[in-house]
Each structure stands twice: as C-alpha cells, then as structure tokens.
C-alpha cells in the first residue's frame, strides 16, 4: 500500500487497542480526586491503535509532505534553502533551559543572543536589533509601530497618514501598514522592473509616514536608484522601512543601513537557514537606526558589569512583541549558521544565490519560459509560461515531476507570473533538472492537452476546490469530515 491511500488514524482504530498505557498510581481513585464535576460522562472518541499503527500513521503522513529535504523547492520570495542538520544539535544544547530561569543562571544563552544581535547589526548596518518578533510579518508590525511611535513623539502623528509601497510589494507590507493605522499609497513599477522613481517622488509629501521597500524587489531586481529614493523620502521626513526577506541576494555584500534605511526586518527562516514552512516557527528580528532605538520592544537585552540582563525600564518602548526570549531554537540555528560561514561564507552565499538564479533564468528561457524583464536578476526572477499555457497548469504538472512549483501569480504586476528562487544550495544538476522538467511539460501540453490539464495525478490530493476550502474550511479530521471532504473532491472532479 502506498503512503497516499493508507488508512488514517481513525480508520485504523479497533476497540481496545493501545499504543501506550499510563503507569498505575497508588492512591485514591481519580473519580474521588476530581470530585465529580470535572469528569466526563461519555468517553472521548479517540482512535484506539497499537504503537506500530501510530508510528505508521505519522510516518506515512510525513511522507506526504513536500519538503526541501525531499526535492527542489524554488518558491520565489520564500528562500527555501537547505537547513543544515548540525544546527539541530546546536539548538538542542539549550533545550533544557526554562523561560522563567533567573538571567544569572542563563548567561550562556543570553550571551549567544547578544552575539546574534551584534552580528545582525553588523550585517544590516543598523545600530540596534531586537530578536523578539516571531515572523517577518511580525517584524514588520514591530518596525511600523516604532515608526508610528517616533512620529507621535515628534507631534506629527496626526499629519502623517500615508505609507508608500511599490505595486510589486509582498502583501504583508500594505497589510502591516494598514494594521498600524495608515493609508497605503501604491507606486507603479517602471518598464525596467524598478520602482518608477518619478511616480514615487510625485507621491511624496509631508503626509507620508514611511516608505516600505525590499531591495532587491520581489521581481528580483535591484533598485539602482535607492540612494535617491532614500534621500527624497527623508527630505519630507518619512522613514524608510526595509523588508529583509530578500537579504539572501546581498548578505555580506551590501547593507540596508548603508542604503539609507531606518528600520529592517530579517527572516531568519529565509536567509539564515532556520526551518520554514507549514506555518512556522518563524523568526523576524528587527534592526533600527539610533533615533528609533528608544521605541524597541521591551525588555531589551543589555550587557553590563553584572553580565547579560533584560532591561525592562524602557518608558518609550512599543511594548513586548513576544513572550520569553523569542523563538530561541531558531535564534541558535541562525547564530550557528552565521558563525559557521563567517562574513566570507555569507558573501559566497549571496554570490551563488544570484548565480543560480541567473543560470536557471537563462535555462528556463531556452525551454520557452521567458523572463518578464530582459535583464540579469538578483536572487530570484519572474518568468512567464510559453504562449497559450496557463501558469496554474504548469505548476500542477511540476508536481507530477516530483518538483515543487515556483511561486505563481505573484507579483501581481506580471501576468501569469512564475516567480523562481532556486537559492544557493541547489546544485547545477538540480537546476538543469528543473529546467528540463519544464521543457517536458511544455511538450506534454502540446502532445496531450488532456493529460496536461488533468495534472497532478501522483499527489495525495488532486486539484483542490480553493473556493470551497476558503468558504467552508474543515480544519479537523474525523470520520465524518473525511467523508464530507471526499464528496467535495468528487464534486470538483
Ligand atoms: C516571506 C516574506 C514576508 C513575510 O515573512 P513571514 O515570515 O512569512 O511573515 C514579507 N516580505 C517578503 C518579500 C517575503 O518574501
């Protein structure tokens, strides 16, 4: 039986089977201890399975999961690079620490976190870094709250209502700006794939609180006018926010702080190899220039005569963004990565990421998938499918090749966008294999359009009814919901 059609846990259930038995405890019976009220009257409907059934269930589920450990995963903007396994050992060194432990007895982890803060300050060109935020979007929220606090302190909060974002921006940028209470103004992309600087300058005014940019942009194109953009933003008193999700293109080579940015968030789960996917756990440190440091989330990690400690006395802080020390396991992994590679190694990462992206860009163009912008790219690029084909169909056909699709239909400024980011950890052979798979798919689309439109055939679920999934989500498996969902798949064909 293949992993795909294996029975799930409830279907394996047989009355009386057990995977584990709790130890016997001497003392009064549980009914007495819980004194009635808290006791269930009806036993919960839990699956009853043997230990081996349980192990098979989870192993087979794990094999359904597509992962970077399994195959190439060039999801644009997501930087799906290999997570070195040795980092797991490093993270486990700190697994026994308790979040309520006295800082005096946790000096080891605190000095590591202090070291990581320092390294991220150096890499971004920022004066201070907080490790609290638990994702990129969470970092954006922290950064934009600091910008708002800064304008408020200057008595300009009522006047500054606008945040400018380019139309190619990641959706979290405008979402964050509006969560913080700003109105979003979009600036178009120019014909060369860079932000239209004239349109940008026309949108600037003393009402602008901030400009959110990523550089290189989500089109994989470096904003060559960044210094002019920064000067123009600062001239009207706006703050410049750097979405650091694309740092893989420039890490060790260029620094947002030197480009003129005031705030930076980083995605440790992208550039710095901490695990990523399935919704978490992310980690989104934020760096700021000195004028924003008073607003950093509290407490702030500081070092003095008494060693490392948390400074809670931060009267202008935006407050706490995350409980305890943040996602410590990921912070340790990121630190291990930085310290293993060193500055030269990180520079090499950026160079190979850019080289790999350009190689695949050219190889894909040879297979009939031209770039949206005919110029060399940074760590990623946006291509289009061959004339007459839909990106969605190509993406589904890639699944049957055992490969993960690129990011599709984003950025919105390119029709049928295919956004590809191979990362530096893919080999020449896997890049060639990806381009060749796309070539086969183009041939299949011509030779057998029906088979092409019916892909994927080899995955646990076929084409999903995304509208039904959004409108009538079924979030918990049970025998009843299983039947309902199977029925739905039949409806969708
Ligand atoms: C991934 C990403 C984000 C959001 O980061 P999360 O950690 O997923 O919240 C923001 N901007 C860009 C460009 C990204 O690629």
């Amino acid at each position: 039986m293949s992993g795909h059609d294996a029975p799930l846990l409830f279907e394996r259930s047989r009355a009386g089977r057990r995977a584990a038995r709790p130890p016997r405890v001497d003392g009064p019976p549980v009914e007495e201890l819980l004194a009635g009220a808290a006791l269930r009257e009806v036993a919960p409907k839990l699956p009853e399975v043997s230990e081996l059934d349980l192990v098979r269930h989870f192993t087979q589920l794990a094999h359904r999961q597509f992962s970077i450990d399994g195959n190439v995963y060039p999801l644009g903007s997501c930087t799906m690079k290999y997570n070195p396994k040795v980092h797991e050992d490093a993270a486990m060194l700190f697994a026994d620490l308790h979040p309520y432990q006295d800082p005096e007895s946790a000096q080891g982890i605190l000095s590591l976190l202090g070291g990581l803060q320092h390294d991220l300050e150096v890499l971004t060109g920022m004066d201070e870094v907080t490790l609290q935020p638990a994702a990129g979007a969470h970092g954006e929220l922290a950064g934009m709250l600091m910008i708002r606090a800064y304008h408020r302190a200057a008595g300009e909060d009522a006047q500054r209502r606008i945040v400018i974002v380019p139309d190619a921006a990641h959706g979290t940028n405008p979402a964050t700006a509006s969560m913080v209470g700003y109105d979003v103004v979009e600036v178009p992309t120019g014909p060369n794939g860079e932000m239209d600087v004239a349109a940008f300058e026309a949108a600037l005014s003393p009402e602008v609180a901030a400009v959110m940019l990523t550089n290189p942009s989500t089109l994989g194109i470096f904003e060559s006018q960044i210094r002019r953009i920064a000067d123009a933003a600062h001239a009207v008193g706006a703050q410049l926010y750097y979405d650091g999700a694309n740092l893989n293109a420039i890490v060790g080579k260029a620094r947002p702080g030197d480009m003129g940015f005031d705030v930076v968030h980083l995605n440790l789960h992208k550039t710095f190899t901490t695990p990523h996917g399935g919704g978490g756990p992310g980690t989104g440190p934020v760096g700021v220039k000195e004028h924003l440091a008073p607003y950093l989330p509290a407490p702030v990690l500081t070092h003095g005569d008494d060693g490392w400690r948390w400074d809670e006395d931060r009267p202008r802080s935006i407050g706490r963004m995350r409980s305890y020390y943040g996602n410590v396991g990921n912070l340790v992994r990121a630190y291990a990565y930085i310290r293993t590679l060193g500055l030269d190694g990180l520079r090499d990462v950026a160079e190979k990421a850019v080289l790999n992206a350009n190689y695949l860009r050219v190889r894909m163009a040879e297979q009939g998938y031209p770039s949206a912008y005919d110029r060399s790219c940074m760590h990623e690029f946006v291509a289009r499918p061959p004339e007459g084909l839909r990106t969605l169909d190509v993406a589904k056909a890639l699944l049957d090749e055992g490969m993960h699709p690129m990011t599709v239909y984003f950025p919105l400024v390119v029709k049928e966008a295919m956004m590809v980011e191979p990362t530096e950890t893919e080999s020449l052979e896997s890049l060639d294999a990806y381009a060749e798979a796309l070539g086969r798919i183009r041939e299949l689309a011509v030779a057998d359009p029906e088979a092409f439109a019916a892909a994927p055939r080899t995955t646990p679920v076929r084409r999903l009814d995304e509208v039904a999934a959004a409108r009538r989500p079924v979030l918990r498996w049970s025998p009843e919901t299983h039947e309902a969902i199977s029925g739905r798949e039949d409806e969708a064909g």
Side-chain angles (χ1 to χ4, degrees):
M1 183 176 290
S2 82
H4 287 171
D5 44 20
L8 290 160
L9 206 56
F10 281 92
E11 297 162 344
R12 293 175 198 258
S13 180
R14 295 294 177 275
R17 279 190 196 155
R18 289 288 180 273
R21 285 177 201 283
R24 277 187 186 289
V25 199
D26 292 334
V30 69
E31 292 80 357
E32 246 172 69
L33 283 173
L34 290 180
L39 276 182
R40 281 177 181 276
E41 282 169 13
V42 185
K45 276 200 207 162
L46 295 176
E48 298 179 69
V49 293
S50 70
E51 182 173 326
L52 179 55
D53 281 337
L54 187 68
V55 167
R56 285 187 179 156
H57 168 73
F58 284 112
T59 304
Q60 286 163 359
L61 278 188
H63 285 222
R64 289 185 184 186
Q65 177 73 23
F66 194 99
S67 72
I68 189 69
D69 287 350
N71 213 332
V72 55
Y73 203 153
L75 203 55
S77 209
C78 293
T79 315
M80 305 298 288
K81 62 165 84 177
Y82 174 62
N83 313 137
K85 299 301 167 241
V86 68
H87 294 174
E88 302 309 309
D89 291 350
M92 284 308 288
L93 292 175
F94 298 92
D96 290 340
L97 283 168
H98 194 280
Y100 283 136
Q101 210 163 312
D102 277 343
E104 297 88 86
S105 70
Q107 288 292 301
I109 187 67
L110 294 181
S111 70
L112 184 152
L113 298 181
L116 177 61
Q117 278 183 193
H118 172 79
D119 288 353
L120 297 179
E121 283 159 20
V122 171
L123 288 171
T124 55
M126 291 286 148
D127 296 319
E128 288 200 43
V129 162
T130 173
L131 302 176
Q132 280 191 29
H138 200 207
E140 288 177 33
L141 182 63
M144 293 304 290
L145 286 171
M146 285 189 263
I147 287 176
R148 184 136 193 220
Y150 171 80
H151 288 312
R152 192 174 289 139
E156 294 184 0
D157 187 42
Q159 156 201 339
R160 296 192 183 272
R161 305 308 317 144
I162 292 171
V163 169
I164 295 181
V165 296
D167 60 0
H170 194 270
T172 50
N173 294 178
T176 301
S178 70
M179 275 183 77
V180 175
Y182 289 118
D183 299 328
V184 175
V185 169
E186 231 179 57
V187 171
T189 299
N192 64 354
E194 297 184 32
M195 183 169 76
D196 181 335
V197 181
F200 169 70
E201 285 174 346
L204 282 174
S205 77
E207 283 178 53
V208 176
V211 179
M212 298 180 85
L213 284 181
T214 178
N215 194 20
S217 69
T218 59
L219 293 162
I221 292 174
F222 193 84
E223 300 287 356
S224 63
Q225 302 304 305
I226 188 61
R227 288 311 304 252
R228 178 173 159 193
I229 292 168
D231 289 346
H234 288 148
V236 298
Q239 295 287 290
L240 201 56
Y241 183 97
Y242 184 81
D243 175 339
N246 295 334
L247 196 78
N248 213 44
I250 59 166
V251 63
K253 297 196 63 97
R255 311 194 307 168
D258 299 336
M259 297 176 203
F261 286 91
D262 302 290
V263 194
V264 172
H265 89 254
L266 300 176
N267 302 58
L268 298 188
H269 46 289
K270 293 181 182 172
T271 313
F272 297 95
T273 73
T274 74
H276 172 197
T283 326
V286 175
V288 293
K289 290 271 175 70
E290 208 172 358
H291 63 281
L292 291 169
Y295 310 102
L296 282 168
V300 171
L301 185 59
T302 57
H303 189 260
D305 294 341
D306 51 352
W308 293 95
R309 61 177 193 86
W310 295 108
D311 180 7
E312 306 269 359
D313 183 21
R314 308 282 301 189
R316 292 153 80 189
S317 165
I318 57 165
R320 197 184 248 288
M321 293 298 289
R322 175 68 165 75
S323 54
Y324 309 118
Y325 295 10
N327 277 337
V328 168
N330 274 359
L331 298 171
V332 175
R333 289 177 180 94
Y335 188 68
Y337 184 64
I338 293 170
R339 289 283 141 183
T340 305
L341 292 184
L343 193 53
D344 285 343
L346 289 172
R347 203 169 278 146
D348 197 41
V349 162
E351 286 172 4
K352 296 221 165 82
V354 172
L355 181 62
N356 275 2
N358 278 291
Y359 180 78
L360 188 53
R361 179 178 61 81
V362 173
R363 290 285 279 127
M364 274 178 57
E366 285 167 8
Q367 302 290 342
Y369 299 78
S371 281
Y373 297 93
D374 188 20
R375 55 186 283 182
S376 65
C377 64
M378 295 293 287
H379 65 301
E380 66 191 2
F381 61 95
V382 177
R384 289 203 184 95
E387 200 59 44
L389 300 194
R390 285 170 58 220
T391 289
L392 185 72
D393 294 327
V394 174
K396 298 296 181 191
L398 269 168
L399 295 172
D400 281 343
E401 295 276 350
M403 294 173 175
H404 202 282
M406 60 291 282
T407 294
V408 298
Y409 298 103
F410 177 78
L412 304 174
V413 296
V414 175
K415 258 199 188 156
E416 298 291 326
M418 301 181 136
M419 185 197 207
V420 191
E421 181 182 9
T423 83
E424 74 285 359
T425 55
E426 291 305 328
S427 65
L428 186 64
E429 292 75 20
S430 69
L431 299 176
D432 282 336
Y434 203 75
E436 282 154 21
L438 285 165
R440 278 195 298 279
I441 287 168
R442 192 197 57 198
E443 285 164 15
L444 173 75
V446 176
D448 191 348
E450 250 168 63
F452 175 63
R457 295 172 176 277
T458 58
T459 49
V461 288
R462 305 274 302 272
R463 293 206 185 197
L464 301 179
D465 181 345
E466 288 175 21
V467 176
R471 296 223 174 117
R472 292 182 283 146
V474 178
L475 303 175
R476 194 166 61 176
W477 196 93
S478 73
E480 294 79 32
T481 55
H482 184 69
E483 260 170 38
I485 292 174
S486 309
R488 205 188 263 182
E489 268 172 24
D490 294 343
E491 275 169 42

